[in-house]
Amino acid sequence: MTSMGLHLGLTALFIRKGLLSEEQITSTISDSRKRKTSFVSTIIHNKLLSARDVAEICYEEYGTPLLALNEFDISSIPEDFLNKKLIEKHRCIPLYKRGNRLYIATSDPTNISALEDFQFSAGLHTEAILVEDDKLNTALESVLEDDISSLDLSAIDEEALAAIEVADSDKNDEDQSGDKKDDAPIVIYINKILTDAIRKGASDLHFEPYEKRYRIRFRIDGILHEVSEPPVNLSGRISARLKVMSKLDIAERRVPQDGRIKMRLSRTKSIDFRVSTLPTIWGEKIVMRILDSSSAQLGIEKLGYEDDQRLLYEEMLAKPQGMILVTGPTGSGKTVSLYTGLNILNTEARNISTAEDPVEINLEGVNQVHINLKAGLTFASALRSFLRQDPDVVMVGEIRDLETAEIAIKAAQTGHLVLSTLHTNSAAETLTRLINMGVPGYNIASSVNLIIAQRLSRRLCPNCKEPEDIPNAGLLGFGFSQQQVDAGITAFKPTGCDQCSGGYKGRVGIYEVMKMSDEIARTIMEGGNSLQILQQAKRQGMRDLRDSGLLKVIQGVTSITEINRVTSY
């Protein structure tokens, strides 16, 4: 029996110690099979027990040696024992060999079948080493991903820049720009920049020429940071290299161009970059958007929805028809929210088509159409074609005009589930935007099921965040309710360490999720404005973006400063 299944020793142990009820055990087993994760991981995910609690309980009961896996050098594992099929199957990692024994890291010491399989594969006796499940998950990602962390890019920074400067100083005339020997340092340097961006979790790269300097910036967690300043006289060669990689016309410098780069990191992993060039007075500015398909595979529970918001989204995704709209500014995570919904809907029984401008991430099993305005392929024309293709689910990248809105609403009213986006500041404003486009109120009321407005807030680094002393009057001034203040609020602030960027690490979504109700429909039909719609939605229990952000502050996920940056009050 694999670690995905039920290990009777653990379940009996948790019941005997009164840590879990039989009902909780049964529910966890069902949940683990549904989520395709291990029994132990599901217990921890559902917050029934912590990873540390499970490890200490198993240590006390079975006497299995306990190891702090985060202090173990994963790169020291002998490759001879890295049977990735067994590692993935059992969620165990062979750590080291001593004599004729192979020691296996596991969060479940009752998983005897894993030890037997590794023993058969390695031809050695095996012994379990107990580790915390969350640390095991991190190590498994490192071992199984085989990504860029295995590439040796150390010491390239200064050497590459020095080599570039030498190559440029030796260059006598512009005709030598195609010399492969001269361009080799540029190739190394660009590859280093791209891999650094991926490693640091950047979403965009900016290559910017100016009169007396050239700078490269990464957008990390929504904020731009300067990372390099190569010699300004290399501007043309850097842009030429990026355009060659993007399959663009390197001779054309007068008009903007769009391209794409696929960077293969290993046999199993690649990253796409969407590339845009823009002629400026000092040369071509190039912006690259990193398109990582793994972001589209995130579970909905990882996006930051509160439980009631997530359940409402899932409930509306389960409906056979109607419209779900996601709104927010550029870079607020709308695409990830939509792709996450599509992944939930993406089954063999459904026909799903999307119209996108552009298609950023490929989704297996989904018919994706790239909008081409020059060829006359617009959102509206693509949507018309979808309706002749026997669709169940349709996604329109953006509703920009009345024609697209009318076709999308017609589809939602005739037995199709439609997902789309608009650029508005709130859920309530989305409804008034549709009315201003010319869509009749009765059509909006009868077709829209759900509207999600969202922003992305930076997460506080868990290693260095510190409590922030704010008086109660100040908390009330920020928008916390008297009830929240009376219950006690510990707000945290960023400090900064070597594991984060200015006290923040990663981002989390902040949402307002508004369900179309009879009362909201009536407000629309009566010509109500966005403020009246918002007030009605809040009477029904909806949290607006500010309230959702302050809840993240109470949870210790982000800071008041960050919520002030991404929401208004």
Side-chain angles (χ1 to χ4, degrees):
M1 185 176 293
T2 72
S3 63
M4 293 295 182
L6 167 61
H7 297 133
L8 296 175
L10 277 189
T11 59
L13 172 63
F14 293 146
I15 291 173
R16 177 161 50 82
K17 286 186 170 287
L19 299 168
L20 298 176
S21 66
E22 291 187 15
E23 184 180 344
Q24 287 174 314
I25 291 286
T26 303
S27 173
T28 302
I29 294 168
S30 174
D31 198 14
S32 69
R33 287 170 179 163
K34 188 184 301 180
R35 297 177 63 245
K36 297 183 179 178
T37 55
S38 74
F39 179 68
V40 171
S41 288
T42 307
I43 287 174
I44 295 161
H45 176 268
N46 292 344
K47 299 181 180 178
L48 299 175
L49 294 168
S50 71
R52 186 66 188 176
D53 288 341
V54 172
E56 288 180 349
I57 292 162
C58 291
Y59 171 70
E60 292 172 5
E61 181 71 15
Y62 302 110
T64 309
L66 182 60
L67 172 72
L69 190 56
N70 57 319
E71 298 177 6
F72 185 86
D73 182 9
I74 296 295
S75 64
S76 68
I77 299 174
E79 288 192 12
D80 295 348
F81 303 128
L82 285 178
N83 185 327
K84 293 193 176 182
K85 286 186 178 178
L86 289 183
I87 291 172
E88 191 168 11
K89 176 183 177 183
H90 292 295
R91 296 186 69 259
C92 298
I93 302 176
L95 295 179
Y96 55 87
K97 170 180 173 283
R98 284 193 184 156
N100 66 342
R101 287 192 177 276
L102 182 63
Y103 290 84
I104 310 292
T106 178
S107 60
D108 180 0
T110 68
N111 191 358
I112 304 301
S113 62
L115 300 179
E116 291 174 345
D117 282 357
F118 277 105
Q119 180 171 320
F120 180 79
S121 172
L124 298 167
H125 294 295
T126 53
E127 190 167 319
I129 296 288
L130 189 59
V131 297
E132 293 173 47
D133 191 76
D134 53 352
K135 295 181 175 62
L136 177 62
N137 285 334
T138 302
L140 283 167
E141 288 178 8
S142 176
V143 169
L144 293 174
E145 282 295 327
D146 188 26
D147 62 8
I148 56 173
S149 60
S150 63
L151 297 178
D152 182 16
L153 291 172
S154 58
I156 287 184
D157 271 326
E158 295 180 5
E159 291 178 12
L161 277 172
I164 289 172
E165 291 175 332
V166 169
D168 192 72
S169 64
D170 291 341
K171 184 174 162 59
N172 295 320
D173 58 62
E174 202 62 31
D175 293 336
Q176 291 178 316
S177 62
D179 188 307
K180 291 184 179 179
K181 184 177 180 181
D182 279 353
D183 282 345
I186 293 283
V187 173
I188 294 171
Y189 177 64
I190 293 297
N191 287 346
K192 167 71 169 122
I193 290 293
L194 299 187
T195 50
D196 271 358
I198 298 168
R199 209 177 256 142
K200 291 179 179 179
S203 60
D204 302 86
L205 298 79
H206 291 239
F207 296 82
E208 301 169 312
Y210 297 97
E211 182 181 11
K212 296 181 179 179
R213 63 188 293 244
Y214 189 96
R215 71 176 177 182
I216 299 173
R217 295 189 290 173
F218 293 169
R219 188 176 293 279
I220 301 172
D221 296 336
I223 306 295
L224 283 169
H225 304 269
E226 185 170 330
V227 295
S228 184
E229 189 175 339
V232 68
N233 55 359
L234 296 182
S235 168
R237 292 169 65 188
I238 290 174
S239 63
R241 172 59 188 166
L242 291 172
K243 288 166 75 174
V244 167
M245 295 174 71
S246 312
K247 297 181 173 57
L248 299 177
D249 183 357
I250 62 171
E252 180 56 79
R253 302 184 183 92
R254 298 165 299 173
V255 297
Q257 297 185 68
D258 294 300
R260 203 173 179 111
I261 297 173
K262 181 180 282 292
M263 186 174 182
R264 189 165 296 284
L265 306 173
S266 70
R267 291 189 303 274
T268 58
K269 187 172 178 65
S270 62
I271 296 285
D272 285 358
F273 296 81
R274 191 180 76 209
V275 183
S276 171
T277 73
L278 179 71
T280 71
I281 59 173
W282 304 115
E284 287 180 288
K285 173 175 178 174
I286 297 179
V287 174
M288 306 174 70
R289 166 68 56 90
I290 297 178
L291 308 174
D292 185 359
S293 59
S294 63
S295 66
Q297 306 298 326
L298 289 174
I300 192 170
E301 67 280 352
K302 295 183 180 179
L303 299 186
Y305 288 94
E306 302 301 331
D307 288 343
D308 59 329
Q309 295 174 331
R310 175 179 56 80
L311 290 171
L312 198 51
Y313 188 19
E314 290 175 334
E315 177 190 338
M316 294 304 153
L317 286 170
K319 287 187 175 295
Q321 68 180 56
M323 184 181 291
I324 298 174
L325 298 173
V326 182
T327 184
T330 300
S332 60
K334 298 188 299 295
T335 300
V336 172
S337 279
L338 285 176
Y339 278 5
T340 301
L342 287 179
N343 277 322
I344 293 172
L345 294 167
N346 189 10
T347 65
E348 186 180 342
R350 290 190 179 95
N351 176 24
I352 303 176
S353 295
T354 73
E356 304 172 61
D357 183 19
V359 173
E360 294 192 353
I361 296 172
N362 296 327
L363 297 176
E364 185 71 28
V366 175
N367 307 291
Q368 295 175 275
V369 174
H370 185 105
I371 294 303
N372 186 341
L373 298 178
K374 290 182 180 178
L377 181 56
T378 64
F379 283 119
S381 61
L383 194 46
R384 281 198 195 91
S385 296
F386 291 167
L387 297 180
R388 295 191 290 270
Q389 293 273 317
D390 185 31
D392 297 299
V393 179
V394 170
M395 187 189 92
V396 186
E398 184 183 348
I399 295 178
R400 297 175 178 171
D401 51 51
L402 177 59
E403 184 183 14
T404 306
E406 286 179 335
I407 301 169
I409 284 173
K410 179 183 176 183
Q413 291 173 332
T414 54
H416 308 94
L417 183 62
V418 179
L419 285 72
S420 190
T421 72
L422 277 89
H423 281 89
T424 58
N425 291 323
S426 69
E429 288 178 39
T430 303
L431 295 173
T432 55
R433 173 68 58 84
L434 289 172
I435 291 170
N436 292 337
M437 279 184 183
V439 180
Y442 59 85
N443 273 342
I444 297 172
S446 63
S447 60
V448 175
N449 290 345
L450 190 75
I451 303 175
I452 300 171
Q454 65 180 82
R455 301 289 188 276
L456 287 177
S457 167
R458 290 180 293 171
R459 287 181 183 269
L460 284 166
C461 173
N463 297 307
C464 64
K465 67 179 182 181
E466 292 182 352
E468 186 173 11
D469 187 20
I470 302 175
N472 288 351
L475 293 171
L476 291 170
F478 282 123
F480 291 99
S481 69
Q482 186 66 59
Q483 185 179 2
Q484 290 171 325
V485 172
D486 291 342
I489 295 173
T490 302
F492 291 87
K493 63 181 179 181
T495 54
C497 66
D498 58 0
Q499 297 185 36
C500 66
S501 176
Y504 296 97
K505 187 175 183 179
R507 289 190 288 178
V508 63
I510 296 171
Y511 305 91
E512 60 181 40
V513 181
M514 187 173 78
K515 179 181 178 180
M516 179 64 74
S517 66
D518 292 341
E519 291 77 10
I520 292 176
R522 190 176 301 112
T523 304
I524 296 170
M525 299 285 286
E526 293 171 354
N529 58 34
S530 59
L531 180 58
Q532 291 169 318
I533 294 171
L534 174 62
Q535 289 171 341
Q536 180 58 48
K538 294 190 79 168
R539 281 194 292 270
Q540 295 171 191
M542 185 196 80
R543 283 185 298 276
D544 63 18
L545 286 167
R546 181 73 182 185
D547 291 337
S548 294
L550 294 179
L551 195 54
K552 289 287 189 287
V553 172
I554 293 173
Q555 294 165 355
V557 174
T558 190
S559 67
I560 288 178
T561 303
E562 182 65 6
I563 294 304
N564 287 338
R565 184 181 72 86
V566 299
T567 68
S568 58
Y569 180 63

